[in-house]
Amino acid sequence: MSYRNYKTWEQAFKEVADMRSKHEYEMAMTNQLFPREDGTQWVNWIGLSKECRDEVYYYCYEHNTNTISIG
C-alpha cells in the first residue's frame, strides 16, 4: 500500500481508520466466537487456527445475522 496513490492525506487517514474499525470488528467477533480459557481478549490472530479465522470471516462478512456492532 503506497500513500503516493492518494490525492490527499485525508483519504489516506480515512483508509487507516476504516482498516482499524474492520480489525476491531473482527477481534470482537473472534472474542465472541472463541473466548480464551484464561479470560484474556484476542488482540490479533496469533495462535488462532486458520479454520477459526475462516469462521470469523464467515460470521463477519457472509452470515446474514451479524449481532456485533462497533461504535
Side-chain angles (χ1 to χ4, degrees):
M1 165 173 41
S2 172
Y3 291 111
R4 294 179 205 182
N5 296 332
Y6 294 103
K7 295 179 183 176
T8 66
W9 280 105
E10 182 178 346
Q11 290 172 320
F13 289 130
K14 181 184 180 322
E15 180 173 322
V16 170
D18 291 346
M19 293 301 293
R20 180 178 177 152
S21 293
K22 178 183 175 200
H23 175 75
E24 289 172 353
Y25 175 64
E26 291 169 353
M27 290 299 100
M29 183 62 75
T30 301
N31 285 305
Q32 182 177 333
L33 293 172
F34 307 105
R36 288 184 164 174
E37 290 181 15
D38 65 2
T40 60
Q41 298 287 301
W42 292 96
V43 295
N44 57 43
W45 283 347
I46 294 174
L48 194 67
S49 71
K50 178 161 179 1
E51 291 80 16
C52 291
R53 294 188 305 247
D54 290 344
E55 190 171 340
V56 171
Y57 269 115
Y58 170 76
Y59 280 102
C60 283
Y61 305 112
E62 296 175 21
H63 192 260
N64 291 329
T65 59
N66 294 339
T67 59
I68 294 179
S69 62
I70 301 299

